[in-house]
Structure formats: C-alpha cells, structure tokens
Amino acid sequence: QVQLVESGGGLVQPGGSLRLSCAASGVTFSLYTMGWYRQTLGKERELVARITSGGSTNYADSVKGRFTISRDNAKKTVYLQMNSLKPEDTAVYYCNGKRVQLTGRGGLYDYWGQGTQVTVSS
C-alpha cells in the first residue's frame, strides 16, 4: 500500500526557516512527479512547488526565490526548504505523488500525505 508521510512542520517566527520532508513507500518513487501543496480554511488547495521525475521544478509565484523543492530517489523522499517565511505561508502542507500513465491500461495514480501544519507567527 502507498504511504506518504510528512514531517518537519511546526511553529516558526516570520523570517525563519523550516524544512519539510515527505517519505514515500509502496511506489516506484523515481517515476512520480512529487509536489507540495498547501491549504488554509476556506481556500482551495494550491500548488506550492513541484518536481518531476527528471528533476524539473516549478513554483508558485508567491514562494519563488524563498522555497526550494528537491528529491532523493534513493531515500524515496522529497523535501521542501522554506526560507524567509511569512505569516501568509501559514497552512497545512500536503505531500503529493502523481503519475499519469498513458501506455497500456492507462490510469491516474495520485497519492496524498496526511498533511503537516506550518504556522508562521510572532
């Protein structure tokens, strides 16, 4: 069974840093696009950062230059380094693994972690 487990969330002051980790099991990790999403009350879940199986990345404009996504395929782990944190970064952060298979049977494989709370406050 597939499992994504986030860690590293917590309370941090504005301007501080956190490093989120997401450890995957039960998947061929190297084939998946991995992403970090976040969600606050009353808003849709939004993409924060994404990294493909080939290592290409993209970021939401609001975090560009402050956050860095990376992956370690040997450890089956994806990271989100968050620097210069702002109160508006406060959210539940979710790890996502996704693979769209167009060959053979085809199918969408889309997995989510349970989320980890990040609170940026004085």
Side-chain angles (χ1 to χ4, degrees):
Q1 54 193 12
V2 175
Q3 189 173 33
L4 303 177
V5 180
E6 300 101 332
S7 62
L11 175 65
V12 66
Q13 294 185 354
S17 297
L18 285 173
R19 188 195 191 203
L20 305 183
S21 299
C22 172
S25 62
V27 298
T28 306
F29 181 82
S30 62
L31 299 179
Y32 279 73
T33 291
M34 303 300 298
W36 289 96
Y37 294 71
R38 66 187 182 189
Q39 187 170 25
T40 57
L41 184 64
K43 300 189 68 175
E44 290 189 8
R45 192 173 297 184
E46 66 173 348
L47 176 68
V48 177
R50 180 168 54 207
I51 184 166
T52 70
S53 61
S56 297
T57 61
N58 51 33
Y59 299 88
D61 287 342
S62 60
V63 308
K64 198 167 295 182
R66 300 188 296 122
F67 291 10
T68 303
I69 189 170
S70 61
R71 66 192 295 160
D72 186 333
N73 288 341
K75 296 181 178 179
K76 301 178 74 172
T77 301
V78 63
Y79 305 94
L80 185 67
Q81 179 66 47
M82 305 186 294
N83 298 326
S84 302
L85 283 161
K86 305 174 181 179
E88 49 263 46
D89 295 318
T90 296
V92 178
Y93 283 71
Y94 296 91
C95 178
N96 172 257
K98 183 180 296 182
R99 180 167 69 96
V100 179
Q101 182 174 320
L102 300 178
T103 61
R105 291 176 60 192
L108 172 64
Y109 303 90
D110 195 2
Y111 302 105
W112 294 91
Q114 294 294 104
T116 185
Q117 177 70 48
V118 172
T119 302
V120 184
S121 177
S122 299

